[in-house]
Amino acid sequence: MNDVQQYADSLADQLNRSIEIDDCGLRPLALTEQHGDLDDVRVRSILQRHSSPEVFEYAFSLDIAHATGPVRFPPNPALQTLPRVCIPMRAHGELQGYLWLIDSPPLTDSDIAAAAGTASAIAELLHQQSQSTATVLDRETQLVSALLAPPHEGTPPAELLGDEPLLRFTEHASVLTMKLAPIDAGGEPLDARAMRSAAQEVAYARPVGRSLLGHGEDTIHLIVSAEVHADRLRPFRHALAQAARRRGWTLHGTGTGGAASSLDELRRSGMQSGYAATVAHARNIEQLNWNELGADLVFYGLPWTMETLEILFPGASRLFDADNTLIRESLDAYFDCGGDTRRGAAQLAVHRTTLYYRLDRAQQLLGEDWAQGERRAGLQLALRLAMLIRNI
């Protein structure tokens, strides 16, 4: 990176400005000596060599990853930042990083033109150094796929594991799974080729060095150190949501598995994160951790089908006939309110007599003992699973 530093120093001398060159994940590649005004973000970049989650989120709030020219940032009092100009560095149509200048006093058009010229030169240099990036990510995807494969496929071979620091488990790791789905038939096909492209596009936003990125045909997997704060993962999810939207897709649930300290536990964390993502979507929640699933854990490993409903409560399928919708909804409200008919009627916005009538109808459909002991528990589970199935 010495050549990058030389370009930065030369521009700093020319403009009498401090220059920062960042990679696509906002990690400094080059920092020049201090010229002119200074703010807290500049100090942290020098001392800590990375951006805080708040600064990271603010920087990408103007979608600099897809900007085609200089982007001006106003001062942000909450973050104590001075105004800045960000110049995305692109070569051969690919983003290589960012050149940053403090815009106080304001930069002239000729200053920005000079900075843009330097940004182009640095981008070309970085492009030459990153030709193998896609190949590296492909190998990483192959590793993640092997790590999360079903148990019958065995442990990944040693040559594939290599000497990956994350897999030494000096820190616990967990799996984050993000599922995607097409918005409509007009979007890009959701397949392995398109997912590879999306993964490469958002790789810049992950915690590099403390994560492994992979994908399936409709999922993105991120194996991440448990020491990485959840706030640091928000920019990655935001970047993926934008990449999905451009392709006509949408995020379809995000889940996090339990902490792992071995390869077997990591595979289990992957299975847990996939299930948590499915439940998150069914419950219309942005993200769920495995330990937040509550009673929905009981359905883990079961097929979400009408046959399972019948196993949980024989006769439950009758509630899903069109003529019995009000009865089913009334049972849902009754159980949600802990069997309190006053609260249940209020939730349904009906008179309590109406609710009693519908519960009597349920007794005719399901049998007299539907509200007793194990039968009651089985019916509650069947109704809960039915709700999840309807929402996926």
Side-chain angles (χ1 to χ4, degrees), residues 354-369:
T354 302
L355 178 56
Y356 283 134
Y357 170 75
R358 293 177 184 175
L359 295 179
D360 286 341
R361 288 280 296 117
Q363 187 177 59
Q364 296 171 23
L365 281 171
L366 304 173
E368 294 185 358
D369 61 347

mmCIF file with all atom_site columns, all heavy atoms in Angstrom, residues 354-369:
data_model
loop_
_atom_site.group_PDB
_atom_site.id
_atom_site.type_symbol
_atom_site.label_atom_id
_atom_site.label_alt_id
_atom_site.label_comp_id
_atom_site.label_asym_id
_atom_site.label_entity_id
_atom_site.label_seq_id
_atom_site.pdbx_PDB_ins_code
_atom_site.Cartn_x
_atom_site.Cartn_y
_atom_site.Cartn_z
_atom_site.occupancy
_atom_site.B_iso_or_equiv
_atom_site.pdbx_formal_charge
_atom_site.auth_seq_id
_atom_site.auth_comp_id
_atom_site.auth_asym_id
_atom_site.auth_atom_id
_atom_site.pdbx_PDB_model_num
ATOM 1   N N   . THR A 1 354 ? -71.220 -13.155 21.620 1.00 0.00 ? 354 THR A N   1
ATOM 2   C CA  . THR A 1 354 ? -70.811 -13.639 20.297 1.00 0.00 ? 354 THR A CA  1
ATOM 3   C C   . THR A 1 354 ? -69.618 -14.581 20.412 1.00 0.00 ? 354 THR A C   1
ATOM 4   O O   . THR A 1 354 ? -69.561 -15.625 19.736 1.00 0.00 ? 354 THR A O   1
ATOM 5   C CB  . THR A 1 354 ? -70.456 -12.445 19.384 1.00 0.00 ? 354 THR A CB  1
ATOM 6   O OG1 . THR A 1 354 ? -71.576 -11.579 19.283 1.00 0.00 ? 354 THR A OG1 1
ATOM 7   C CG2 . THR A 1 354 ? -70.045 -12.920 17.996 1.00 0.00 ? 354 THR A CG2 1
ATOM 8   N N   . LEU A 1 355 ? -68.665 -14.209 21.270 1.00 0.00 ? 355 LEU A N   1
ATOM 9   C CA  . LEU A 1 355 ? -67.502 -15.080 21.451 1.00 0.00 ? 355 LEU A CA  1
ATOM 10  C C   . LEU A 1 355 ? -67.934 -16.424 22.047 1.00 0.00 ? 355 LEU A C   1
ATOM 11  O O   . LEU A 1 355 ? -67.455 -17.484 21.598 1.00 0.00 ? 355 LEU A O   1
ATOM 12  C CB  . LEU A 1 355 ? -66.471 -14.399 22.345 1.00 0.00 ? 355 LEU A CB  1
ATOM 13  C CG  . LEU A 1 355 ? -65.217 -15.234 22.663 1.00 0.00 ? 355 LEU A CG  1
ATOM 14  C CD1 . LEU A 1 355 ? -64.521 -15.694 21.382 1.00 0.00 ? 355 LEU A CD1 1
ATOM 15  C CD2 . LEU A 1 355 ? -64.250 -14.444 23.548 1.00 0.00 ? 355 LEU A CD2 1
ATOM 16  N N   . TYR A 1 356 ? -68.833 -16.401 23.053 1.00 0.00 ? 356 TYR A N   1
ATOM 17  C CA  . TYR A 1 356 ? -69.317 -17.656 23.617 1.00 0.00 ? 356 TYR A CA  1
ATOM 18  C C   . TYR A 1 356 ? -69.975 -18.526 22.548 1.00 0.00 ? 356 TYR A C   1
ATOM 19  O O   . TYR A 1 356 ? -69.780 -19.756 22.520 1.00 0.00 ? 356 TYR A O   1
ATOM 20  C CB  . TYR A 1 356 ? -70.324 -17.387 24.735 1.00 0.00 ? 356 TYR A CB  1
ATOM 21  C CG  . TYR A 1 356 ? -69.700 -16.959 26.051 1.00 0.00 ? 356 TYR A CG  1
ATOM 22  C CD1 . TYR A 1 356 ? -70.210 -15.878 26.754 1.00 0.00 ? 356 TYR A CD1 1
ATOM 23  C CD2 . TYR A 1 356 ? -68.624 -17.658 26.575 1.00 0.00 ? 356 TYR A CD2 1
ATOM 24  C CE1 . TYR A 1 356 ? -69.652 -15.489 27.972 1.00 0.00 ? 356 TYR A CE1 1
ATOM 25  C CE2 . TYR A 1 356 ? -68.055 -17.274 27.778 1.00 0.00 ? 356 TYR A CE2 1
ATOM 26  C CZ  . TYR A 1 356 ? -68.568 -16.186 28.467 1.00 0.00 ? 356 TYR A CZ  1
ATOM 27  O OH  . TYR A 1 356 ? -68.006 -15.822 29.655 1.00 0.00 ? 356 TYR A OH  1
ATOM 28  N N   . TYR A 1 357 ? -70.737 -17.918 21.663 1.00 0.00 ? 357 TYR A N   1
ATOM 29  C CA  . TYR A 1 357 ? -71.397 -18.670 20.590 1.00 0.00 ? 357 TYR A CA  1
ATOM 30  C C   . TYR A 1 357 ? -70.353 -19.352 19.699 1.00 0.00 ? 357 TYR A C   1
ATOM 31  O O   . TYR A 1 357 ? -70.494 -20.535 19.344 1.00 0.00 ? 357 TYR A O   1
ATOM 32  C CB  . TYR A 1 357 ? -72.283 -17.735 19.763 1.00 0.00 ? 357 TYR A CB  1
ATOM 33  C CG  . TYR A 1 357 ? -72.804 -18.373 18.489 1.00 0.00 ? 357 TYR A CG  1
ATOM 34  C CD1 . TYR A 1 357 ? -73.825 -19.304 18.524 1.00 0.00 ? 357 TYR A CD1 1
ATOM 35  C CD2 . TYR A 1 357 ? -72.214 -18.054 17.256 1.00 0.00 ? 357 TYR A CD2 1
ATOM 36  C CE1 . TYR A 1 357 ? -74.282 -19.904 17.355 1.00 0.00 ? 357 TYR A CE1 1
ATOM 37  C CE2 . TYR A 1 357 ? -72.668 -18.651 16.090 1.00 0.00 ? 357 TYR A CE2 1
ATOM 38  C CZ  . TYR A 1 357 ? -73.691 -19.573 16.147 1.00 0.00 ? 357 TYR A CZ  1
ATOM 39  O OH  . TYR A 1 357 ? -74.126 -20.168 14.994 1.00 0.00 ? 357 TYR A OH  1
ATOM 40  N N   . ARG A 1 358 ? -69.300 -18.596 19.349 1.00 0.00 ? 358 ARG A N   1
ATOM 41  C CA  . ARG A 1 358 ? -68.277 -19.167 18.463 1.00 0.00 ? 358 ARG A CA  1
ATOM 42  C C   . ARG A 1 358 ? -67.503 -20.282 19.166 1.00 0.00 ? 358 ARG A C   1
ATOM 43  O O   . ARG A 1 358 ? -67.118 -21.280 18.518 1.00 0.00 ? 358 ARG A O   1
ATOM 44  C CB  . ARG A 1 358 ? -67.321 -18.068 17.995 1.00 0.00 ? 358 ARG A CB  1
ATOM 45  C CG  . ARG A 1 358 ? -67.985 -17.048 17.076 1.00 0.00 ? 358 ARG A CG  1
ATOM 46  C CD  . ARG A 1 358 ? -67.002 -15.945 16.699 1.00 0.00 ? 358 ARG A CD  1
ATOM 47  N NE  . ARG A 1 358 ? -67.636 -14.889 15.897 1.00 0.00 ? 358 ARG A NE  1
ATOM 48  C CZ  . ARG A 1 358 ? -67.010 -13.781 15.533 1.00 0.00 ? 358 ARG A CZ  1
ATOM 49  N NH1 . ARG A 1 358 ? -65.747 -13.570 15.879 1.00 0.00 ? 358 ARG A NH1 1
ATOM 50  N NH2 . ARG A 1 358 ? -67.664 -12.875 14.814 1.00 0.00 ? 358 ARG A NH2 1
ATOM 51  N N   . LEU A 1 359 ? -67.263 -20.144 20.457 1.00 0.00 ? 359 LEU A N   1
ATOM 52  C CA  . LEU A 1 359 ? -66.578 -21.214 21.192 1.00 0.00 ? 359 LEU A CA  1
ATOM 53  C C   . LEU A 1 359 ? -67.456 -22.463 21.269 1.00 0.00 ? 359 LEU A C   1
ATOM 54  O O   . LEU A 1 359 ? -66.938 -23.593 21.226 1.00 0.00 ? 359 LEU A O   1
ATOM 55  C CB  . LEU A 1 359 ? -66.198 -20.731 22.591 1.00 0.00 ? 359 LEU A CB  1
ATOM 56  C CG  . LEU A 1 359 ? -65.157 -19.587 22.645 1.00 0.00 ? 359 LEU A CG  1
ATOM 57  C CD1 . LEU A 1 359 ? -64.886 -19.171 24.088 1.00 0.00 ? 359 LEU A CD1 1
ATOM 58  C CD2 . LEU A 1 359 ? -63.854 -19.987 21.955 1.00 0.00 ? 359 LEU A CD2 1
ATOM 59  N N   . ASP A 1 360 ? -68.763 -22.278 21.365 1.00 0.00 ? 360 ASP A N   1
ATOM 60  C CA  . ASP A 1 360 ? -69.675 -23.428 21.314 1.00 0.00 ? 360 ASP A CA  1
ATOM 61  C C   . ASP A 1 360 ? -69.596 -24.113 19.956 1.00 0.00 ? 360 ASP A C   1
ATOM 62  O O   . ASP A 1 360 ? -69.625 -25.351 19.868 1.00 0.00 ? 360 ASP A O   1
ATOM 63  C CB  . ASP A 1 360 ? -71.115 -22.979 21.589 1.00 0.00 ? 360 ASP A CB  1
ATOM 64  C CG  . ASP A 1 360 ? -71.351 -22.648 23.055 1.00 0.00 ? 360 ASP A CG  1
ATOM 65  O OD1 . ASP A 1 360 ? -70.548 -23.091 23.893 1.00 0.00 ? 360 ASP A OD1 1
ATOM 66  O OD2 . ASP A 1 360 ? -72.343 -21.941 23.341 1.00 0.00 ? 360 ASP A OD2 1
ATOM 67  N N   . ARG A 1 361 ? -69.502 -23.319 18.900 1.00 0.00 ? 361 ARG A N   1
ATOM 68  C CA  . ARG A 1 361 ? -69.367 -23.882 17.547 1.00 0.00 ? 361 ARG A CA  1
ATOM 69  C C   . ARG A 1 361 ? -68.041 -24.659 17.442 1.00 0.00 ? 361 ARG A C   1
ATOM 70  O O   . ARG A 1 361 ? -67.985 -25.708 16.794 1.00 0.00 ? 361 ARG A O   1
ATOM 71  C CB  . ARG A 1 361 ? -69.405 -22.767 16.512 1.00 0.00 ? 361 ARG A CB  1
ATOM 72  C CG  . ARG A 1 361 ? -70.767 -22.148 16.319 1.00 0.00 ? 361 ARG A CG  1
ATOM 73  C CD  . ARG A 1 361 ? -71.671 -23.002 15.417 1.00 0.00 ? 361 ARG A CD  1
ATOM 74  N NE  . ARG A 1 361 ? -71.127 -23.086 14.054 1.00 0.00 ? 361 ARG A NE  1
ATOM 75  C CZ  . ARG A 1 361 ? -70.728 -24.209 13.477 1.00 0.00 ? 361 ARG A CZ  1
ATOM 76  N NH1 . ARG A 1 361 ? -70.816 -25.361 14.131 1.00 0.00 ? 361 ARG A NH1 1
ATOM 77  N NH2 . ARG A 1 361 ? -70.285 -24.187 12.233 1.00 0.00 ? 361 ARG A NH2 1
ATOM 78  N N   . ALA A 1 362 ? -66.982 -24.149 18.063 1.00 0.00 ? 362 ALA A N   1
ATOM 79  C CA  . ALA A 1 362 ? -65.699 -24.856 18.066 1.00 0.00 ? 362 ALA A CA  1
ATOM 80  C C   . ALA A 1 362 ? -65.842 -26.215 18.743 1.00 0.00 ? 362 ALA A C   1
ATOM 81  O O   . ALA A 1 362 ? -65.272 -27.224 18.284 1.00 0.00 ? 362 ALA A O   1
ATOM 82  C CB  . ALA A 1 362 ? -64.642 -24.013 18.775 1.00 0.00 ? 362 ALA A CB  1
ATOM 83  N N   . GLN A 1 363 ? -66.638 -26.264 19.807 1.00 0.00 ? 363 GLN A N   1
ATOM 84  C CA  . GLN A 1 363 ? -66.850 -27.528 20.502 1.00 0.00 ? 363 GLN A CA  1
ATOM 85  C C   . GLN A 1 363 ? -67.550 -28.543 19.604 1.00 0.00 ? 363 GLN A C   1
ATOM 86  O O   . GLN A 1 363 ? -67.208 -29.732 19.597 1.00 0.00 ? 363 GLN A O   1
ATOM 87  C CB  . GLN A 1 363 ? -67.678 -27.274 21.765 1.00 0.00 ? 363 GLN A CB  1
ATOM 88  C CG  . GLN A 1 363 ? -67.829 -28.493 22.669 1.00 0.00 ? 363 GLN A CG  1
ATOM 89  C CD  . GLN A 1 363 ? -68.583 -28.156 23.931 1.00 0.00 ? 363 GLN A CD  1
ATOM 90  O OE1 . GLN A 1 363 ? -69.729 -27.701 23.881 1.00 0.00 ? 363 GLN A OE1 1
ATOM 91  N NE2 . GLN A 1 363 ? -67.937 -28.349 25.071 1.00 0.00 ? 363 GLN A NE2 1
ATOM 92  N N   . GLN A 1 364 ? -68.475 -28.071 18.786 1.00 0.00 ? 364 GLN A N   1
ATOM 93  C CA  . GLN A 1 364 ? -69.158 -28.969 17.851 1.00 0.00 ? 364 GLN A CA  1
ATOM 94  C C   . GLN A 1 364 ? -68.210 -29.499 16.795 1.00 0.00 ? 364 GLN A C   1
ATOM 95  O O   . GLN A 1 364 ? -68.318 -30.642 16.361 1.00 0.00 ? 364 GLN A O   1
ATOM 96  C CB  . GLN A 1 364 ? -70.325 -28.223 17.197 1.00 0.00 ? 364 GLN A CB  1
ATOM 97  C CG  . GLN A 1 364 ? -71.425 -27.804 18.155 1.00 0.00 ? 364 GLN A CG  1
ATOM 98  C CD  . GLN A 1 364 ? -72.447 -26.888 17.500 1.00 0.00 ? 364 GLN A CD  1
ATOM 99  O OE1 . GLN A 1 364 ? -72.595 -26.896 16.272 1.00 0.00 ? 364 GLN A OE1 1
ATOM 100 N NE2 . GLN A 1 364 ? -73.149 -26.104 18.302 1.00 0.00 ? 364 GLN A NE2 1
ATOM 101 N N   . LEU A 1 365 ? -67.246 -28.658 16.371 1.00 0.00 ? 365 LEU A N   1
ATOM 102 C CA  . LEU A 1 365 ? -66.284 -29.070 15.337 1.00 0.00 ? 365 LEU A CA  1
ATOM 103 C C   . LEU A 1 365 ? -65.189 -29.967 15.887 1.00 0.00 ? 365 LEU A C   1
ATOM 104 O O   . LEU A 1 365 ? -64.754 -30.927 15.224 1.00 0.00 ? 365 LEU A O   1
ATOM 105 C CB  . LEU A 1 365 ? -65.629 -27.836 14.705 1.00 0.00 ? 365 LEU A CB  1
ATOM 106 C CG  . LEU A 1 365 ? -66.413 -27.057 13.657 1.00 0.00 ? 365 LEU A CG  1
ATOM 107 C CD1 . LEU A 1 365 ? -65.673 -25.766 13.324 1.00 0.00 ? 365 LEU A CD1 1
ATOM 108 C CD2 . LEU A 1 365 ? -66.581 -27.896 12.395 1.00 0.00 ? 365 LEU A CD2 1
ATOM 109 N N   . LEU A 1 366 ? -64.724 -29.664 17.096 1.00 0.00 ? 366 LEU A N   1
ATOM 110 C CA  . LEU A 1 366 ? -63.494 -30.277 17.604 1.00 0.00 ? 366 LEU A CA  1
ATOM 111 C C   . LEU A 1 366 ? -63.714 -31.300 18.699 1.00 0.00 ? 366 LEU A C   1
ATOM 112 O O   . LEU A 1 366 ? -62.783 -32.014 19.068 1.00 0.00 ? 366 LEU A O   1
ATOM 113 C CB  . LEU A 1 366 ? -62.557 -29.174 18.125 1.00 0.00 ? 366 LEU A CB  1
ATOM 114 C CG  . LEU A 1 366 ? -62.197 -28.063 17.126 1.00 0.00 ? 366 LEU A CG  1
ATOM 115 C CD1 . LEU A 1 366 ? -61.410 -26.969 17.824 1.00 0.00 ? 366 LEU A CD1 1
ATOM 116 C CD2 . LEU A 1 366 ? -61.425 -28.629 15.939 1.00 0.00 ? 366 LEU A CD2 1
ATOM 117 N N   . GLY A 1 367 ? -64.904 -31.353 19.244 1.00 0.00 ? 367 GLY A N   1
ATOM 118 C CA  . GLY A 1 367 ? -65.170 -32.272 20.345 1.00 0.00 ? 367 GLY A CA  1
ATOM 119 C C   . GLY A 1 367 ? -65.278 -31.530 21.665 1.00 0.00 ? 367 GLY A C   1
ATOM 120 O O   . GLY A 1 367 ? -64.736 -30.445 21.851 1.00 0.00 ? 367 GLY A O   1
ATOM 121 N N   . GLU A 1 368 ? -65.977 -32.137 22.604 1.00 0.00 ? 368 GLU A N   1
ATOM 122 C CA  . GLU A 1 368 ? -66.258 -31.460 23.871 1.00 0.00 ? 368 GLU A CA  1
ATOM 123 C C   . GLU A 1 368 ? -65.013 -31.194 24.702 1.00 0.00 ? 368 GLU A C   1
ATOM 124 O O   . GLU A 1 368 ? -65.012 -30.295 25.542 1.00 0.00 ? 368 GLU A O   1
ATOM 125 C CB  . GLU A 1 368 ? -67.253 -32.315 24.686 1.00 0.00 ? 368 GLU A CB  1
ATOM 126 C CG  . GLU A 1 368 ? -68.636 -32.417 24.060 1.00 0.00 ? 368 GLU A CG  1
ATOM 127 C CD  . GLU A 1 368 ? -69.605 -33.155 24.943 1.00 0.00 ? 368 GLU A CD  1
ATOM 128 O OE1 . GLU A 1 368 ? -69.171 -33.615 26.026 1.00 0.00 ? 368 GLU A OE1 1
ATOM 129 O OE2 . GLU A 1 368 ? -70.790 -33.274 24.561 1.00 0.00 ? 368 GLU A OE2 1
ATOM 130 N N   . ASP A 1 369 ? -63.955 -31.966 24.499 1.00 0.00 ? 369 ASP A N   1
ATOM 131 C CA  . ASP A 1 369 ? -62.777 -31.845 25.360 1.00 0.00 ? 369 ASP A CA  1
ATOM 132 C C   . ASP A 1 369 ? -61.680 -30.959 24.764 1.00 0.00 ? 369 ASP A C   1
ATOM 133 O O   . ASP A 1 369 ? -60.543 -30.994 25.211 1.00 0.00 ? 369 ASP A O   1
ATOM 134 C CB  . ASP A 1 369 ? -62.204 -33.222 25.668 1.00 0.00 ? 369 ASP A CB  1
ATOM 135 C CG  . ASP A 1 369 ? -61.762 -33.965 24.407 1.00 0.00 ? 369 ASP A CG  1
ATOM 136 O OD1 . ASP A 1 369 ? -62.129 -33.519 23.293 1.00 0.00 ? 369 ASP A OD1 1
ATOM 137 O OD2 . ASP A 1 369 ? -61.064 -34.976 24.528 1.00 0.00 ? 369 ASP A OD2 1
#
